Amino acid sequence: MPSMLDAVVVGAGPNGLTAAVELARRGFAVEVFEAGPAVGGGARTEELTLPGFRHDPCSAVHPLAIGSPAFQEMPLARHGLEWLQPELALAHPFPDGSAAVLAGSVGETAMSLGPEDADAYRRLLAPYLGHWDTLARDFLRTPWDGLPRDPYRWARFGLDAIQPATLLSRRFRGEKARGMLAGLAAHAIAPTSGPATGGIALLFALAAHENGWPVPRGGSQAISDALAACLREQGGTIRTGTEVKRLDELPPARAYVFDTSPAALARIAGLGRAYQGYRYGASCFKIDYALSGPVPWTAEEARRAGTVHIGPTAGEIDAALHAAVEGRDPRVPFLITAQPSIVDPTRAPEGSHVFWVYGHVPAGWEGDATEVIERQLERFAPGFRDVVLARAVAGPPEIAKRNANYVDGDIACGAFAGLQTVIRPKLARVPYATAHPAVFLCSSATPPGPGVHGMSGHHAAKAVWRRLRETGPSGRR
Ligand SMILES: Cc1cc2nc3c(=O)[nH]c(=O)nc-3n(C[C@H](O)[C@H](O)[C@H](O)COP(=O)(O)OP(=O)(O)OC[C@H]3O[C@@H](n4cnc5c(N)ncnc54)[C@H](O)[C@@H]3O)c2cc1C
């Protein structure tokens, strides 16, 4: 054991683990402290309902993980990570029993939007198809990383991406394309008239055509377990069940990397009001179901899709997001649902299924949205309640209790609003550095933001090793 650690990482979410792996891989001595009983943070799997039903309490579907430049450089497959691709990435059903879909093929997707919008969809995606790898590197980068590799496409994508989804959707005439675009944009947990919500929609659509929207065999825990195995292989250590409350209770180290909210970082590291202006956003009401059979969707496409969005129209989706952000009770929530067991039989006993759904609610909301969520599900899958064996319900207080990063139940660890849409956690040349020279932030409160992709951890690790190199002798192994 070295006398002094090079880096202590607080929090074993995807970003904390990625930062730890990247530092350990460069020969630095790293130890991770995690408050929860297991590694993973927002990428975990648990038996939340009945024995044999393996649910993902947080992330379930992983277009950003499979396309992550950071994860692509790690031997995650050797450590058990296997991606399973549903036949369709997404179905977006309508009350007449039809559905818009995101398929691997742009043609199939375009046709599902109807003849009036098929060509507009093809035109929207055409400049970016086949360029995920460079776009991901250029867009998931930090400002000091030099010029983009593909400046033309980077600028063109930027011009499309900065638009609100409501503006981008003017390229379409029909409700199917507009509804699907709004549903994709709503992953930002912000009204679809907000800046850059069009970019979120475009990113998710492109991801479906380039790498799919896969689920990991066995559940999201497989991603975190593979990251943890990479770290241990490089000599790093992990202590679970250890909530860090003060910097001085940690072992001496040359750098401390926080996979926490900015508020927790400021409290633990004594940074005072450094992140006082940082805003947290609306929350979610999440239900994990154990089902006796598949969801009885009316739309046949929805039975083949890993993810199903229940809007259905752009107007209804925008209204649901407005209600959540403006503090009103959900009445007709927009639902994001995932059905991983349609491709992964290991998730539930034979013939039965796990099913995951959330709708948006105000930050800290203490109500029960089960009834409004199930009413929406019954609209598009009549008889849904008849297949429910058990449900595990989590509103904002439970979501926040499960993971301190989800302040008031904000699963994005920071609002997608105003300047914070592009600048988080605050304006700085190196957003991962803090006022304390040995303290860094690597959570999804830093660029490029939420999702399981590890890129915040990757960039933070870069900032750390640059600092460690500058500060001289190390306890390198
Ligand atoms: C309901 C829900 C659904 C989601 N769905 C998806 C999805 O389908 N696909 C997707 O890509 N993303 C999804 N996400 C988002 C994704 O889970 C997060 O963006 C991602 O996990 C963020 O990673 P992170 O490492 O920054 O933080 P987290 O994953 O939140 O990990 C932070 C870790 O730090 C630990 N920690 C915090 N404070 C301390 C402390 N003081 N001491 C010790 N440990 C501490 C926490 O316990 C936690 O383990 C979802 C999130 C939720 C909640």
Side-chain angles (χ1 to χ4, degrees), residues 10-16 33-36 38 40-43 57-64 242-245 259-260 268 286 356 358 399 402-406 411 442-444 450-452:
V10 177
N15 284 314
F33 290 79
E34 165 56 46
C58 303
S59 71
V61 182
H62 293 283
L64 302 177
T242 314
E243 184 190 349
V244 174
K245 295 193 173 133
D259 185 10
T260 67
I268 296 167
K286 170 95 191 308
W356 170 117
Y358 72 79
I399 290 174
R402 199 180 271 158
N403 183 340
N405 286 28
Y406 303 143
I411 70 170
C442 75
S443 70
S444 60
V452 174

mmCIF file of all heavy atoms in Angstrom, residues 10-16 33-36 38 40-43 57-64 242-245 259-260 268 286 356 358 399 402-406 411 442-444 450-452, ligand 1:
data_model
loop_
_atom_site.group_PDB
_atom_site.id
_atom_site.type_symbol
_atom_site.label_atom_id
_atom_site.label_comp_id
_atom_site.label_asym_id
_atom_site.label_seq_id
_atom_site.Cartn_x
_atom_site.Cartn_y
_atom_site.Cartn_z
ATOM 1 N N VAL A 10 -15.434 10.019 -3.936
ATOM 2 C CA VAL A 10 -16.604 9.922 -3.067
ATOM 3 C C VAL A 10 -17.827 9.669 -3.953
ATOM 4 O O VAL A 10 -18.245 10.545 -4.707
ATOM 5 C CB VAL A 10 -16.798 11.214 -2.241
ATOM 6 C CG1 VAL A 10 -18.062 11.125 -1.387
ATOM 7 C CG2 VAL A 10 -15.570 11.479 -1.379
ATOM 8 N N GLY A 11 -18.364 8.456 -3.877
ATOM 9 C CA GLY A 11 -19.536 8.102 -4.677
ATOM 10 C C GLY A 11 -19.170 7.146 -5.797
ATOM 11 O O GLY A 11 -18.269 7.431 -6.594
ATOM 12 N N ALA A 12 -19.868 5.996 -5.831
ATOM 13 C CA ALA A 12 -19.575 4.976 -6.853
ATOM 14 C C ALA A 12 -20.700 4.874 -7.865
ATOM 15 O O ALA A 12 -21.178 3.793 -8.187
ATOM 16 C CB ALA A 12 -19.318 3.630 -6.188
ATOM 17 N N GLY A 13 -21.166 6.040 -8.365
ATOM 18 C CA GLY A 13 -22.065 6.043 -9.522
ATOM 19 C C GLY A 13 -21.229 5.860 -10.778
ATOM 20 O O GLY A 13 -19.994 5.743 -10.699
ATOM 21 N N PRO A 14 -21.864 5.834 -11.947
ATOM 22 C CA PRO A 14 -21.105 5.634 -13.194
ATOM 23 C C PRO A 14 -19.977 6.652 -13.371
ATOM 24 O O PRO A 14 -18.903 6.301 -13.868
ATOM 25 C CB PRO A 14 -22.165 5.824 -14.292
ATOM 26 C CG PRO A 14 -23.472 5.616 -13.615
ATOM 27 C CD PRO A 14 -23.318 5.949 -12.177
ATOM 28 N N ASN A 15 -20.201 7.906 -12.962
ATOM 29 C CA ASN A 15 -19.144 8.911 -13.130
ATOM 30 C C ASN A 15 -18.013 8.729 -12.128
ATOM 31 O O ASN A 15 -16.841 8.842 -12.484
ATOM 32 C CB ASN A 15 -19.728 10.323 -13.028
ATOM 33 C CG ASN A 15 -20.471 10.709 -14.291
ATOM 34 O OD1 ASN A 15 -19.964 10.501 -15.401
ATOM 35 N ND2 ASN A 15 -21.674 11.231 -14.141
ATOM 36 N N GLY A 16 -18.348 8.447 -10.876
ATOM 37 C CA GLY A 16 -17.310 8.228 -9.868
ATOM 38 C C GLY A 16 -16.459 7.024 -10.244
ATOM 39 O O GLY A 16 -15.217 7.064 -10.172
ATOM 40 N N PHE A 33 -15.230 5.636 -1.939
ATOM 41 C CA PHE A 33 -16.146 5.511 -0.796
ATOM 42 C C PHE A 33 -17.575 5.704 -1.279
ATOM 43 O O PHE A 33 -17.895 6.722 -1.891
ATOM 44 C CB PHE A 33 -15.821 6.568 0.269
ATOM 45 C CG PHE A 33 -14.528 6.294 0.977
ATOM 46 C CD1 PHE A 33 -13.321 6.624 0.369
ATOM 47 C CD2 PHE A 33 -14.518 5.692 2.212
ATOM 48 C CE1 PHE A 33 -12.122 6.351 0.997
ATOM 49 C CE2 PHE A 33 -13.327 5.417 2.860
ATOM 50 C CZ PHE A 33 -12.115 5.746 2.249
ATOM 51 N N GLU A 34 -18.440 4.729 -1.000
ATOM 52 C CA GLU A 34 -19.827 4.779 -1.474
ATOM 53 C C GLU A 34 -20.782 4.646 -0.283
ATOM 54 O O GLU A 34 -20.644 3.742 0.534
ATOM 55 C CB GLU A 34 -20.058 3.648 -2.490
ATOM 56 C CG GLU A 34 -21.510 3.334 -2.805
ATOM 57 C CD GLU A 34 -22.329 4.522 -3.298
ATOM 58 O OE1 GLU A 34 -21.860 5.265 -4.163
ATOM 59 O OE2 GLU A 34 -23.463 4.709 -2.772
ATOM 60 N N ALA A 35 -21.769 5.565 -0.232
ATOM 61 C CA ALA A 35 -22.729 5.540 0.879
ATOM 62 C C ALA A 35 -23.647 4.318 0.816
ATOM 63 O O ALA A 35 -23.996 3.728 1.847
ATOM 64 C CB ALA A 35 -23.577 6.810 0.850
ATOM 65 N N GLY A 36 -24.046 3.921 -0.386
ATOM 66 C CA GLY A 36 -25.010 2.826 -0.540
ATOM 67 C C GLY A 36 -24.397 1.469 -0.242
ATOM 68 O O GLY A 36 -23.177 1.336 -0.135
ATOM 69 N N ALA A 38 -24.208 -1.024 -2.222
ATOM 70 C CA ALA A 38 -23.543 -1.609 -3.400
ATOM 71 C C ALA A 38 -23.113 -0.480 -4.320
ATOM 72 O O ALA A 38 -23.601 0.649 -4.217
ATOM 73 C CB ALA A 38 -24.508 -2.536 -4.143
ATOM 74 N N GLY A 40 -22.869 1.622 -7.879
ATOM 75 C CA GLY A 40 -23.759 1.829 -9.026
ATOM 76 C C GLY A 40 -24.541 3.120 -9.032
ATOM 77 O O GLY A 40 -24.863 3.632 -10.088
ATOM 78 N N GLY A 41 -24.932 3.650 -7.857
ATOM 79 C CA GLY A 41 -25.721 4.892 -7.852
ATOM 80 C C GLY A 41 -26.962 4.745 -8.716
ATOM 81 O O GLY A 41 -27.827 3.923 -8.442
ATOM 82 N N GLY A 42 -27.019 5.509 -9.808
ATOM 83 C CA GLY A 42 -28.171 5.469 -10.711
ATOM 84 C C GLY A 42 -28.154 4.298 -11.675
ATOM 85 O O GLY A 42 -29.029 4.204 -12.534
ATOM 86 N N ALA A 43 -27.192 3.410 -11.573
ATOM 87 C CA ALA A 43 -27.153 2.222 -12.442
ATOM 88 C C ALA A 43 -27.065 0.987 -11.547
ATOM 89 O O ALA A 43 -25.991 0.422 -11.331
ATOM 90 C CB ALA A 43 -25.971 2.297 -13.405
ATOM 91 N N PRO A 57 -33.978 0.351 -10.232
ATOM 92 C CA PRO A 57 -34.663 1.474 -9.583
ATOM 93 C C PRO A 57 -34.456 2.784 -10.334
ATOM 94 O O PRO A 57 -35.310 3.651 -10.303
ATOM 95 C CB PRO A 57 -34.011 1.560 -8.194
ATOM 96 C CG PRO A 57 -33.085 0.411 -8.077
ATOM 97 C CD PRO A 57 -32.927 -0.227 -9.412
ATOM 98 N N CYS A 58 -33.321 2.922 -11.007
ATOM 99 C CA CYS A 58 -33.043 4.166 -11.746
ATOM 100 C C CYS A 58 -32.895 3.834 -13.226
ATOM 101 O O CYS A 58 -33.865 3.445 -13.847
ATOM 102 C CB CYS A 58 -31.808 4.855 -11.184
ATOM 103 S SG CYS A 58 -31.940 5.207 -9.426
ATOM 104 N N SER A 59 -31.696 3.976 -13.792
ATOM 105 C CA SER A 59 -31.553 3.814 -15.245
ATOM 106 C C SER A 59 -31.851 2.387 -15.675
ATOM 107 O O SER A 59 -31.569 1.425 -14.955
ATOM 108 C CB SER A 59 -30.140 4.200 -15.676
ATOM 109 O OG SER A 59 -29.217 3.242 -15.239
ATOM 110 N N ALA A 60 -32.432 2.282 -16.896
ATOM 111 C CA ALA A 60 -32.762 0.962 -17.431
ATOM 112 C C ALA A 60 -32.285 0.796 -18.869
ATOM 113 O O ALA A 60 -31.893 -0.288 -19.272
ATOM 114 C CB ALA A 60 -34.276 0.739 -17.371
ATOM 115 N N VAL A 61 -32.335 1.879 -19.646
ATOM 116 C CA VAL A 61 -32.077 1.809 -21.092
ATOM 117 C C VAL A 61 -30.867 2.690 -21.401
ATOM 118 O O VAL A 61 -30.765 3.810 -20.886
ATOM 119 C CB VAL A 61 -33.321 2.285 -21.874
ATOM 120 C CG1 VAL A 61 -33.093 2.169 -23.365
ATOM 121 C CG2 VAL A 61 -34.552 1.467 -21.457
ATOM 122 N N HIS A 62 -29.953 2.200 -22.260
ATOM 123 C CA HIS A 62 -28.624 2.815 -22.266
ATOM 124 C C HIS A 62 -28.049 3.215 -23.624
ATOM 125 O O HIS A 62 -26.937 2.819 -23.987
ATOM 126 C CB HIS A 62 -27.671 1.889 -21.511
ATOM 127 C CG HIS A 62 -28.019 1.809 -20.071
ATOM 128 N ND1 HIS A 62 -27.718 2.810 -19.185
ATOM 129 C CD2 HIS A 62 -28.727 0.901 -19.379
ATOM 130 C CE1 HIS A 62 -28.193 2.508 -17.990
ATOM 131 N NE2 HIS A 62 -28.827 1.353 -18.090
ATOM 132 N N PRO A 63 -28.758 4.100 -24.356
ATOM 133 C CA PRO A 63 -28.192 4.591 -25.614
ATOM 134 C C PRO A 63 -26.908 5.379 -25.401
ATOM 135 O O PRO A 63 -26.026 5.389 -26.264
ATOM 136 C CB PRO A 63 -29.290 5.513 -26.175
ATOM 137 C CG PRO A 63 -30.219 5.799 -25.044
ATOM 138 C CD PRO A 63 -30.112 4.656 -24.091
ATOM 139 N N LEU A 64 -26.784 6.050 -24.257
ATOM 140 C CA LEU A 64 -25.581 6.870 -24.030
ATOM 141 C C LEU A 64 -24.413 6.007 -23.557
ATOM 142 O O LEU A 64 -23.264 6.283 -23.877
ATOM 143 C CB LEU A 64 -25.883 7.977 -23.014
ATOM 144 C CG LEU A 64 -27.021 8.914 -23.423
ATOM 145 C CD1 LEU A 64 -27.303 9.943 -22.330
ATOM 146 C CD2 LEU A 64 -26.701 9.624 -24.739
ATOM 147 N N THR A 242 -20.437 3.485 3.268
ATOM 148 C CA THR A 242 -19.666 4.519 3.970
ATOM 149 C C THR A 242 -20.045 5.896 3.448
ATOM 150 O O THR A 242 -19.528 6.342 2.422
ATOM 151 C CB THR A 242 -18.139 4.299 3.745
ATOM 152 O OG1 THR A 242 -17.848 2.920 3.942
ATOM 153 C CG2 THR A 242 -17.310 5.140 4.683
ATOM 154 N N GLU A 243 -20.956 6.552 4.142
ATOM 155 C CA GLU A 243 -21.327 7.908 3.719
ATOM 156 C C GLU A 243 -20.256 8.891 4.195
ATOM 157 O O GLU A 243 -19.875 8.886 5.367
ATOM 158 C CB GLU A 243 -22.687 8.298 4.314
ATOM 159 C CG GLU A 243 -23.130 9.656 3.817
ATOM 160 C CD GLU A 243 -24.340 10.192 4.557
ATOM 161 O OE1 GLU A 243 -24.966 9.431 5.322
ATOM 162 O OE2 GLU A 243 -24.626 11.390 4.392
ATOM 163 N N VAL A 244 -19.775 9.711 3.297
ATOM 164 C CA VAL A 244 -18.731 10.684 3.658
ATOM 165 C C VAL A 244 -19.415 11.980 4.072
ATOM 166 O O VAL A 244 -20.226 12.530 3.320
ATOM 167 C CB VAL A 244 -17.777 10.918 2.462
ATOM 168 C CG1 VAL A 244 -16.781 12.018 2.772
ATOM 169 C CG2 VAL A 244 -17.081 9.623 2.099
ATOM 170 N N LYS A 245 -19.093 12.445 5.264
ATOM 171 C CA LYS A 245 -19.736 13.679 5.747
ATOM 172 C C LYS A 245 -18.768 14.845 5.813
ATOM 173 O O LYS A 245 -19.177 15.992 5.721
ATOM 174 C CB LYS A 245 -20.345 13.433 7.124
ATOM 175 C CG LYS A 245 -21.481 12.409 7.058
ATOM 176 C CD LYS A 245 -22.292 12.386 8.323
ATOM 177 C CE LYS A 245 -23.507 11.490 8.150
ATOM 178 N NZ LYS A 245 -23.726 10.582 9.216
ATOM 179 N N ASP A 259 -18.361 12.481 -6.660
ATOM 180 C CA ASP A 259 -19.492 12.118 -7.531
ATOM 181 C C ASP A 259 -20.766 12.437 -6.741
ATOM 182 O O ASP A 259 -21.573 11.557 -6.442
ATOM 183 C CB ASP A 259 -19.403 10.619 -7.871
ATOM 184 C CG ASP A 259 -20.472 10.195 -8.877
ATOM 185 O OD1 ASP A 259 -21.145 11.071 -9.443
ATOM 186 O OD2 ASP A 259 -20.622 8.975 -9.081
ATOM 187 N N THR A 260 -20.905 13.705 -6.378
ATOM 188 C CA THR A 260 -22.019 14.126 -5.521
ATOM 189 C C THR A 260 -22.688 15.352 -6.139
ATOM 190 O O THR A 260 -22.209 15.890 -7.129
ATOM 191 C CB THR A 260 -21.526 14.524 -4.112
ATOM 192 O OG1 THR A 260 -20.738 15.720 -4.250
ATOM 193 C CG2 THR A 260 -20.699 13.442 -3.456
ATOM 194 N N ILE A 268 -19.487 19.153 2.328
ATOM 195 C CA ILE A 268 -18.475 18.193 2.811
ATOM 196 C C ILE A 268 -17.072 18.800 2.746
ATOM 197 O O ILE A 268 -16.260 18.616 3.655
ATOM 198 C CB ILE A 268 -18.536 16.889 1.970
ATOM 199 C CG1 ILE A 268 -19.895 16.209 2.164
ATOM 200 C CG2 ILE A 268 -17.407 15.942 2.345
ATOM 201 C CD1 ILE A 268 -20.196 15.111 1.166
ATOM 202 N N LYS A 286 -41.841 7.267 -9.766
ATOM 203 C CA LYS A 286 -41.384 6.047 -10.439
ATOM 204 C C LYS A 286 -42.125 4.836 -9.893
ATOM 205 O O LYS A 286 -42.278 4.693 -8.672
ATOM 206 C CB LYS A 286 -39.875 5.907 -10.157
ATOM 207 C CG LYS A 286 -39.265 4.576 -10.563
ATOM 208 C CD LYS A 286 -38.662 4.679 -11.945
ATOM 209 C CE LYS A 286 -38.263 3.338 -12.523
ATOM 210 N NZ LYS A 286 -37.423 2.493 -11.721
ATOM 211 N N TRP A 356 -41.066 -0.875 -15.943
ATOM 212 C CA TRP A 356 -40.506 0.321 -15.292
ATOM 213 C C TRP A 356 -41.196 1.534 -15.887
ATOM 214 O O TRP A 356 -41.326 1.618 -17.107
ATOM 215 C CB TRP A 356 -39.052 0.229 -15.611
ATOM 216 C CG TRP A 356 -37.994 1.243 -15.408
ATOM 217 C CD1 TRP A 356 -36.911 1.108 -14.593
ATOM 218 C CD2 TRP A 356 -37.779 2.475 -16.115
ATOM 219 N NE1 TRP A 356 -36.060 2.174 -14.760
ATOM 220 C CE2 TRP A 356 -36.585 3.025 -15.677
ATOM 221 C CE3 TRP A 356 -38.501 3.166 -17.084
ATOM 222 C CZ2 TRP A 356 -36.072 4.222 -16.158
ATOM 223 C CZ3 TRP A 356 -38.011 4.366 -17.561
ATOM 224 C CH2 TRP A 356 -36.801 4.874 -17.081
ATOM 225 N N TYR A 358 -41.968 5.984 -15.288
ATOM 226 C CA TYR A 358 -42.025 7.191 -14.470
ATOM 227 C C TYR A 358 -42.695 8.332 -15.215
ATOM 228 O O TYR A 358 -42.691 8.388 -16.436
ATOM 229 C CB TYR A 358 -40.654 7.606 -13.911
ATOM 230 C CG TYR A 358 -39.625 8.188 -14.860
ATOM 231 C CD1 TYR A 358 -39.682 9.516 -15.270
ATOM 232 C CD2 TYR A 358 -38.549 7.422 -15.275
ATOM 233 C CE1 TYR A 358 -38.706 10.053 -16.107
ATOM 234 C CE2 TYR A 358 -37.577 7.952 -16.120
ATOM 235 C CZ TYR A 358 -37.661 9.264 -16.524
ATOM 236 O OH TYR A 358 -36.703 9.797 -17.348
ATOM 237 N N ILE A 399 -36.934 8.798 -3.795
ATOM 238 C CA ILE A 399 -35.827 8.874 -4.763
ATOM 239 C C ILE A 399 -34.641 9.613 -4.132
ATOM 240 O O ILE A 399 -33.486 9.187 -4.243
ATOM 241 C CB ILE A 399 -36.305 9.580 -6.065
ATOM 242 C CG1 ILE A 399 -37.273 8.664 -6.819
ATOM 243 C CG2 ILE A 399 -35.129 9.958 -6.957
ATOM 244 C CD1 ILE A 399 -37.942 9.287 -8.045
ATOM 245 N N ARG A 402 -32.906 7.461 -1.484
ATOM 246 C CA ARG A 402 -32.115 6.371 -2.046
ATOM 247 C C ARG A 402 -30.744 6.857 -2.496
ATOM 248 O O ARG A 402 -29.759 6.142 -2.441
ATOM 249 C CB ARG A 402 -32.894 5.819 -3.244
ATOM 250 C CG ARG A 402 -32.495 4.463 -3.681
ATOM 251 C CD ARG A 402 -33.345 4.043 -4.866
ATOM 252 N NE ARG A 402 -34.575 3.371 -4.499
ATOM 253 C CZ ARG A 402 -35.642 3.302 -5.308
ATOM 254 N NH1 ARG A 402 -35.636 3.867 -6.482
ATOM 255 N NH2 ARG A 402 -36.711 2.649 -4.921
ATOM 256 N N ASN A 403 -30.673 8.097 -2.966
ATOM 257 C CA ASN A 403 -29.411 8.607 -3.518
ATOM 258 C C ASN A 403 -29.352 10.110 -3.261
ATOM 259 O O ASN A 403 -30.172 10.864 -3.789
ATOM 260 C CB ASN A 403 -29.360 8.309 -5.027
ATOM 261 C CG ASN A 403 -28.061 8.739 -5.687
ATOM 262 O OD1 ASN A 403 -27.322 9.580 -5.149
ATOM 263 N ND2 ASN A 403 -27.775 8.184 -6.839
ATOM 264 N N ALA A 404 -28.369 10.527 -2.452
ATOM 265 C CA ALA A 404 -28.280 11.942 -2.053
ATOM 266 C C ALA A 404 -28.087 12.877 -3.242
ATOM 267 O O ALA A 404 -28.359 14.072 -3.147
ATOM 268 C CB ALA A 404 -27.129 12.114 -1.072
ATOM 269 N N ASN A 405 -27.636 12.349 -4.401
ATOM 270 C CA ASN A 405 -27.439 13.222 -5.571
ATOM 271 C C ASN A 405 -28.761 13.722 -6.138
ATOM 272 O O ASN A 405 -28.782 14.730 -6.836
ATOM 273 C CB ASN A 405 -26.697 12.463 -6.694
ATOM 274 C CG ASN A 405 -25.248 12.276 -6.369
ATOM 275 O OD1 ASN A 405 -24.877 12.218 -5.208
ATOM 276 N ND2 ASN A 405 -24.413 12.161 -7.389
ATOM 277 N N TYR A 406 -29.847 13.000 -5.865
ATOM 278 C CA TYR A 406 -31.146 13.380 -6.427
ATOM 279 C C TYR A 406 -31.846 14.318 -5.440
ATOM 280 O O TYR A 406 -32.793 13.938 -4.744
ATOM 281 C CB TYR A 406 -31.970 12.137 -6.747
ATOM 282 C CG TYR A 406 -31.255 11.179 -7.693
ATOM 283 C CD1 TYR A 406 -31.369 9.804 -7.567
ATOM 284 C CD2 TYR A 406 -30.449 11.677 -8.715
ATOM 285 C CE1 TYR A 406 -30.700 8.940 -8.439
ATOM 286 C CE2 TYR A 406 -29.776 10.828 -9.587
ATOM 287 C CZ TYR A 406 -29.906 9.460 -9.435
ATOM 288 O OH TYR A 406 -29.237 8.615 -10.287
ATOM 289 N N ILE A 411 -33.714 13.794 -10.667
ATOM 290 C CA ILE A 411 -32.872 12.674 -11.111
ATOM 291 C C ILE A 411 -31.749 13.128 -12.045
ATOM 292 O O ILE A 411 -30.878 12.344 -12.396
ATOM 293 C CB ILE A 411 -33.706 11.553 -11.776
ATOM 294 C CG1 ILE A 411 -34.270 11.987 -13.135
ATOM 295 C CG2 ILE A 411 -34.820 11.083 -10.863
ATOM 296 C CD1 ILE A 411 -34.891 10.844 -13.928
ATOM 297 N N CYS A 442 -17.211 15.399 -10.180
ATOM 298 C CA CYS A 442 -17.289 14.575 -11.397
ATOM 299 C C CYS A 442 -18.691 14.065 -11.675
ATOM 300 O O CYS A 442 -18.889 13.253 -12.568
ATOM 301 C CB CYS A 442 -16.334 13.387 -11.299
ATOM 302 S SG CYS A 442 -16.913 12.068 -10.209
ATOM 303 N N SER A 443 -19.701 14.528 -10.917
ATOM 304 C CA SER A 443 -21.045 13.957 -11.075
ATOM 305 C C SER A 443 -21.739 14.528 -12.300
ATOM 306 O O SER A 443 -21.199 15.379 -13.009
ATOM 307 C CB SER A 443 -21.881 14.257 -9.834
ATOM 308 O OG SER A 443 -22.180 15.636 -9.797
ATOM 309 N N SER A 444 -22.992 14.105 -12.498
ATOM 310 C CA SER A 444 -23.756 14.576 -13.661
ATOM 311 C C SER A 444 -24.158 16.039 -13.525
ATOM 312 O O SER A 444 -24.776 16.590 -14.440
ATOM 313 C CB SER A 444 -24.977 13.700 -13.898
ATOM 314 O OG SER A 444 -25.828 13.723 -12.784
ATOM 315 N N PRO A 450 -26.566 14.654 -17.271
ATOM 316 C CA PRO A 450 -27.111 13.374 -16.818
ATOM 317 C C PRO A 450 -27.059 12.245 -17.848
ATOM 318 O O PRO A 450 -26.874 12.486 -19.039
ATOM 319 C CB PRO A 450 -28.576 13.692 -16.503
ATOM 320 C CG PRO A 450 -28.774 15.121 -16.697
ATOM 321 C CD PRO A 450 -27.561 15.723 -17.311
ATOM 322 N N GLY A 451 -27.260 11.055 -17.341
ATOM 323 C CA GLY A 451 -27.235 9.848 -18.175
ATOM 324 C C GLY A 451 -26.061 8.980 -17.753
ATOM 325 O O GLY A 451 -25.084 9.465 -17.169
ATOM 326 N N VAL A 452 -26.199 7.699 -18.070
ATOM 327 C CA VAL A 452 -25.122 6.762 -17.740
ATOM 328 C C VAL A 452 -24.174 6.703 -18.935
ATOM 329 O O VAL A 452 -24.452 6.042 -19.933
ATOM 330 C CB VAL A 452 -25.720 5.367 -17.412
ATOM 331 C CG1 VAL A 452 -24.615 4.348 -17.216
ATOM 332 C CG2 VAL A 452 -26.608 5.454 -16.182
HETATM 333 C C1 LIG B 1 -35.597 6.930 -12.077
HETATM 334 C C2 LIG B 1 -34.383 7.195 -12.917
HETATM 335 C C3 LIG B 1 -34.344 6.740 -14.230
HETATM 336 C C4 LIG B 1 -33.224 6.963 -15.021
HETATM 337 N N1 LIG B 1 -33.175 6.408 -16.274
HETATM 338 C C5 LIG B 1 -32.041 6.486 -17.008
HETATM 339 C C6 LIG B 1 -31.889 5.700 -18.181
HETATM 340 O O1 LIG B 1 -32.759 4.900 -18.524
HETATM 341 N N2 LIG B 1 -30.733 5.839 -18.894
HETATM 342 C C7 LIG B 1 -29.720 6.672 -18.490
HETATM 343 O O2 LIG B 1 -28.685 6.768 -19.168
HETATM 344 N N3 LIG B 1 -29.828 7.392 -17.334
HETATM 345 C C8 LIG B 1 -30.953 7.302 -16.581
HETATM 346 N N4 LIG B 1 -31.050 7.944 -15.387
HETATM 347 C C9 LIG B 1 -30.001 8.922 -15.009
HETATM 348 C C10 LIG B 1 -28.737 8.249 -14.510
HETATM 349 O O3 LIG B 1 -29.051 7.258 -13.572
HETATM 350 C C11 LIG B 1 -27.830 9.322 -13.864
HETATM 351 O O4 LIG B 1 -27.699 10.438 -14.723
HETATM 352 C C12 LIG B 1 -26.446 8.746 -13.586
HETATM 353 O O5 LIG B 1 -26.538 7.648 -12.711
HETATM 354 C C13 LIG B 1 -25.561 9.814 -12.970
HETATM 355 O O6 LIG B 1 -24.344 9.231 -12.609
HETATM 356 P P1 LIG B 1 -23.419 9.856 -11.467
HETATM 357 O O7 LIG B 1 -22.257 8.967 -11.327
HETATM 358 O O8 LIG B 1 -23.193 11.296 -11.770
HETATM 359 O O9 LIG B 1 -24.311 9.856 -10.137
HETATM 360 P P2 LIG B 1 -25.130 8.717 -9.431
HETATM 361 O O10 LIG B 1 -25.376 7.582 -10.337
HETATM 362 O O11 LIG B 1 -26.286 9.387 -8.814
HETATM 363 O O12 LIG B 1 -24.148 8.180 -8.301
HETATM 364 C C14 LIG B 1 -23.748 8.965 -7.207
HETATM 365 C C15 LIG B 1 -23.278 8.017 -6.125
HETATM 366 O O13 LIG B 1 -22.652 8.772 -5.085
HETATM 367 C C16 LIG B 1 -23.071 8.274 -3.845
HETATM 368 N N5 LIG B 1 -22.929 9.347 -2.855
HETATM 369 C C17 LIG B 1 -23.548 10.555 -2.870
HETATM 370 N N6 LIG B 1 -23.171 11.271 -1.791
HETATM 371 C C18 LIG B 1 -22.281 10.500 -1.101
HETATM 372 C C19 LIG B 1 -21.529 10.699 0.113
HETATM 373 N N7 LIG B 1 -21.619 11.822 0.814
HETATM 374 N N8 LIG B 1 -20.709 9.693 0.537
HETATM 375 C C20 LIG B 1 -20.590 8.540 -0.185
HETATM 376 N N9 LIG B 1 -21.292 8.308 -1.316
HETATM 377 C C21 LIG B 1 -22.118 9.282 -1.777
HETATM 378 C C22 LIG B 1 -24.514 7.868 -4.070
HETATM 379 O O14 LIG B 1 -24.949 6.936 -3.095
HETATM 380 C C23 LIG B 1 -24.421 7.263 -5.471
HETATM 381 O O15 LIG B 1 -24.104 5.884 -5.427
HETATM 382 C C24 LIG B 1 -32.136 7.705 -14.529
HETATM 383 C C25 LIG B 1 -32.159 8.156 -13.202
HETATM 384 C C26 LIG B 1 -33.253 7.879 -12.392
HETATM 385 C C27 LIG B 1 -33.229 8.258 -10.948
#
